Amino acid sequence: MPRQYQYRPLGHREIRVVQFRHCGDTHDLSCEFRVGTADGLRNTYTAISYCWGQPDRVSELSCPGDQSIRITHAVGEIAHWLVGRGLEQYYWIDFLCINQDDLDEKAEQVALMGTIFSYSQKVEAWLGRDVEDGEAAYKFLIGIATVYVGFATNAASQTQFPTEWWPEFPPSDFARCKGLFQRPWFTRLWVIQEFAMAPEIRKGCNNSDDEGLSLCYDDFTIPWLAFLWLSHLTHHHAIDLELLGVDTETYTAIANMTSMNRMRIRYRLLDKPLTLAQGLGESLQFQTSDPRDRIYAINGLCLNLNVGGIPLDYKASVNDVYYETAYALIAGNKAVDVLAVAGVGYVDNELPSWVPDWRRDPSLTGAIALYHQGWETCRASGTLVPHVQGDWNAKSLTISAVHVDTYDRDFPFPQPQPRPGLVQRFIGPSARLWVNEIRDFLKGAVQCIYSEEEPRDLILARTLTAHVPGVDVNNQELLDGLDIWLRLNDVADDLGTGEWKSPSKDHFIMTILEGLKHLATSKIFGSQGRRLLGFGPKSAREGDMICILIGLSIPCLLRPNESKRGTWKFVGVCYVDGLMYGEGLKIRPREEFILV
């Protein structure tokens, strides 16, 4: 009986790559490893991106020296797929190329994964066998890629896709991709780094494009270009997948591909590197079995995480990893914006309120999930240099801040109903009640605002749509629509008639409802003294202090710690109209706050 394979220890920056062969005329496979430095093996192997699936080791690979390695079903499937292609080449597959029983080696290799994928010849993602309607999905996606190639070849600019070409791919074609997009690869957290660091598209023989990343299943290989342009069509041309009846898995997969591509672009732009707060904001919807990988899986992508020198340690507890990461970034590197993903109600009870708990449900993140959607352009604390001091043993953080105002009251608004399409199609008493409740909410919120410089309806519109991309709140049609809604006695009676017949009012309705949909996990609130309007986390309550933390791009809420006088809990970040661009710095002098 073969002995269990004994991995030889790896030296500094060494990696393993593996090659597969058939064992004689049998269906069984053997493997052989090659060891070298990452630099020495550069461009000599293909990196495989895949999902581990069930952890049970159900078969084995033969190794030299009468040894063998027990492998999972997913790894066995990949090995047979690669051998079946008849290519004698080396591959990097994490399950085999990392000694999974050596936690120290695992940590060292995970830290090198960014290098491993970027140094590969190419990256191939294996999505599995028996994909439902796999051939139809292949034809649909290759069709999109073909249209793009024709456009890119003949157009002076390659930055915009011609919307008039979209009818070539009717909405019903999306249904063909359902089986493909249900594959767990599209929601796996690790694929973000593997994709972002895949080699660039290179010119191959005959001047053809050789994709740095391809997605493979059954007997099909699809270049990433096809998925990229499918994502581009839906994201940049506002093709509403929900209204087209696209299933949840397809919708999620396309949204995730959009996030992956944004992160790849940010990683590649050296003048604007990805930060941890942005990386975590983009990756919240992805899944991982090990909570520590919330940090480790994007390690190589985030500039300030690398600078922090945070070691990868799978022997440490989850809370220790989260605390050490937050301390190194905030207290060590003054990366105060990491607080954008922290706060009361989002953290484990054993973690300080200022330490982000990356395990939280992304649907409960409220304002913090909006941080990466352009809020990094805000400068609530101006260009002031943060003064931060941490106490490792006390798990506290001392930071400068300006107390601007106090949370006074919130304005509950109706929870969004299942998407019915245009508001004009609402029918039945429940829909009538819902739209009138929205009207009452808008009237209550606008009464809270005081401003001598701007109309109150403009401030209300700006607050409700702060996180909806591409909204021009100075658009007169948008403001006219809000004014009509505020004046009507029974909105449901007037929908589709009178003033609501104008297409511009349709635009207003959908814009406001889009804003309300995203605000369902937040609280709309008014301030006590200055009568400002904003929204923040569900955990906010009366008496919380609206503050500008020096170094944090957006305002936040602090709460006195009831168990220890002179210390404060970090409630969470918030949007407050009139405080997003340094206005709050002139109101009061800075103070020191101890966060616990």
Side-chain angles (χ1 to χ4, degrees):
M1 182 176 179
R3 296 176 291 112
Q4 180 179 347
Y5 182 76
Q6 299 298 308
Y7 285 93
R8 85 160 177 83
L10 295 175
H12 178 63
R13 287 183 62 81
E14 281 191 329
I15 64 172
R16 299 182 188 91
V17 290
V18 64
Q19 188 179 57
F20 303 102
R21 292 189 178 90
H22 277 297
C23 294
D25 296 329
T26 70
H27 187 65
D28 296 334
L29 299 180
S30 66
C31 70
E32 183 175 346
F33 292 101
R34 179 185 177 190
V35 177
T37 64
D39 293 314
L41 294 176
R42 188 169 189 170
N43 294 329
T44 66
Y45 60 91
T46 296
I48 304 298
S49 174
Y50 68 105
C51 289
W52 274 40
Q54 294 299 319
D56 300 334
R57 304 191 181 199
V58 296
S59 60
E60 64 181 30
L61 291 170
S62 299
C63 302
D66 195 28
Q67 299 181 89
S68 66
I69 299 177
R70 299 287 295 175
I71 58 175
T72 64
H73 172 77
V75 173
E77 187 178 77
I78 291 171
H80 281 282
W81 163 59
L82 295 174
V83 169
R85 300 197 303 184
L87 302 175
E88 290 192 7
Q89 65 182 69
Y90 283 95
Y91 301 93
W92 190 89
I93 303 172
D94 61 353
F95 182 90
L96 291 172
C97 297
I98 299 175
N99 183 357
Q100 300 297 325
D101 297 324
D102 186 338
L103 293 181
D104 290 330
E105 178 182 301
K106 182 178 178 181
E108 292 172 0
Q109 290 291 292
V110 168
L112 274 175
M113 278 184 63
T115 299
I116 291 170
F117 275 82
S118 62
Y119 280 14
S120 66
Q121 282 184 318
K122 59 182 177 179
V123 175
E124 292 184 317
W126 174 247
L127 305 185
R129 293 202 175 277
D130 302 321
V131 172
E132 181 182 356
D133 290 331
E135 184 175 0
Y138 171 79
K139 291 179 179 178
F140 171 62
L141 291 165
I142 289 297
I144 287 180
T146 302
V147 168
Y148 162 70
V149 170
F151 165 69
T153 302
N154 298 296
S157 170
Q158 300 181 18
T159 60
Q160 294 186 6
F161 197 93
T163 54
E164 63 270 18
W165 289 8
W166 174 249
E168 295 187 24
F169 308 104
S172 59
D173 283 358
F174 275 108
R176 302 179 182 181
C177 298
K178 180 177 180 179
L180 177 61
F181 288 137
Q182 284 179 336
R183 295 291 160 142
W185 186 88
F186 292 99
T187 59
R188 176 175 169 260
L189 180 62
W190 276 103
V191 305
I192 297 176
Q193 178 174 252
E194 296 163 0
F195 164 71
M197 294 189 168
E200 295 282 3
I201 297 175
R202 295 183 289 258
K203 287 293 181 182
C205 57
N206 299 322
N207 203 37
S208 61
D209 283 337
D210 178 21
E211 269 284 1
L213 175 68
S214 299
L215 273 63
C216 310
Y217 61 93
D218 295 329
D219 296 322
F220 303 105
T221 297
I222 304 177
W224 177 256
L225 195 64
F227 295 90
L228 169 64
W229 284 97
L230 176 61
S231 170
H232 179 86
L233 281 168
T234 56
H235 180 70
H236 291 284
H237 295 294
I239 296 171
D240 197 322
L241 298 179
E242 288 184 86
L243 286 180
L244 294 177
V246 172
D247 60 281
T248 302
E249 290 83 0
T250 301
Y251 183 88
T252 300
I254 294 175
N256 286 354
M257 287 188 290
T258 301
S259 293
M260 290 163 61
N261 195 55
R262 276 199 300 260
M263 294 180 75
R264 177 177 171 89
I265 292 172
R266 290 295 297 268
Y267 172 72
R268 295 288 178 178
L269 295 178
L270 299 181
D271 60 333
K272 196 176 182 182
L274 198 70
T275 67
L276 180 60
Q278 294 157 351
L280 265 296
E282 288 280 13
S283 64
L284 285 172
Q285 69 273 25
F286 290 82
Q287 306 298 317
T288 180
S289 58
D290 190 330
R292 291 167 292 196
D293 285 340
R294 284 286 167 198
I295 303 296
Y296 298 160
I298 59 171
N299 175 49
L301 293 178
C302 302
L303 176 70
N304 55 2
L305 190 60
N306 289 331
V307 174
I310 300 163
L312 276 67
D313 183 3
Y314 281 99
K315 297 177 182 178
S317 70
V318 174
N319 279 1
D320 285 346
V321 171
Y322 290 176
Y323 174 65
E324 185 175 2
T325 300
Y327 191 90
L329 290 172
I330 303 174
N333 290 324
K334 318 303 181 189
V336 179
D337 269 348
V338 174
L339 289 170
V341 283
V344 172
Y346 304 129
V347 298
D348 184 291
N349 290 332
E350 297 180 0
L351 285 172
S353 64
W354 55 271
V355 175
D357 187 345
W358 314 124
R359 293 166 293 194
R360 69 189 183 282
D361 182 348
S363 67
L364 302 178
T365 55
I368 62 178
L370 309 173
Y371 179 78
H372 68 281
Q373 298 182 4
W375 281 24
E376 67 267 24
T377 60
C378 297
R379 290 291 179 266
S381 62
T383 58
L384 296 177
V385 177
H387 174 72
V388 185
Q389 184 175 353
D391 187 324
W392 177 268
N393 295 324
K395 294 189 175 180
S396 66
L397 196 71
T398 302
I399 189 166
S400 298
V402 177
H403 174 203
V404 177
D405 209 336
T406 302
Y407 186 110
D408 183 32
R409 55 168 296 195
D410 53 73
F411 303 92
F413 60 89
Q415 294 296 309
Q417 305 222 332
R419 188 172 181 127
L422 292 176
V423 179
Q424 286 87 332
R425 299 176 188 166
F426 285 12
I427 57 175
S430 62
R432 178 187 301 275
L433 177 63
W434 184 56
V435 293
N436 281 320
E437 285 178 347
I438 292 177
R439 184 272 321 273
D440 294 340
F441 154 72
L442 293 173
K443 286 188 174 182
V446 80
Q447 291 300 319
C448 132
I449 304 170
Y450 173 78
S451 175
E452 295 181 347
E453 299 177 358
E454 293 183 303
R456 293 188 300 175
D457 58 350
L458 174 61
I459 295 173
L460 177 60
R462 193 160 54 212
T463 301
L464 296 179
T465 60
H467 54 288
V468 180
V471 174
D472 178 11
V473 294
N474 293 305
N475 184 302
Q476 193 57 47
E477 293 180 343
L478 182 66
L479 296 177
D480 288 345
L482 178 58
D483 179 64
I484 292 171
W485 197 311
L486 292 172
R487 286 190 289 106
L488 293 177
N489 291 322
D490 190 324
V491 177
D493 280 341
D494 290 281
L495 291 177
T497 64
E499 295 180 281
W500 289 104
K501 287 184 177 179
S502 167
S504 64
K505 305 308 182 294
D506 290 350
H507 170 69
F508 161 75
I509 296 171
M510 296 308 296
T511 300
I512 293 298
L513 291 184
E514 184 73 10
L516 292 178
K517 182 178 72 172
H518 288 285
L519 288 174
T521 53
S522 302
K523 278 185 176 179
I524 305 287
F525 65 85
S527 72
Q528 195 173 81
R530 306 183 65 82
R531 296 181 63 181
L532 303 172
L533 186 68
F535 61 88
K538 283 280 191 181
S539 55
R541 66 190 188 201
E542 184 179 348
D544 287 346
M545 295 170 49
I546 303 171
C547 296
I548 306 297
L549 263 62
I550 307 306
L552 184 59
S553 299
I554 49 182
C556 67
L557 298 169
L558 301 183
R559 180 179 301 160
N561 182 17
E562 296 175 355
S563 61
K564 187 175 181 181
R565 186 180 178 86
T567 61
W568 305 81
K569 295 283 188 179
F570 185 81
V571 180
V573 295
C574 56
Y575 174 95
V576 182
D577 193 88
L579 296 181
M580 304 303 290
Y581 296 97
E583 302 93 332
L585 298 176
K586 305 173 184 178
I587 295 175
R588 291 179 181 173
R590 281 180 276 174
E591 307 173 59
E592 297 289 317
F593 291 88
I594 301 176
L595 306 182
V596 294

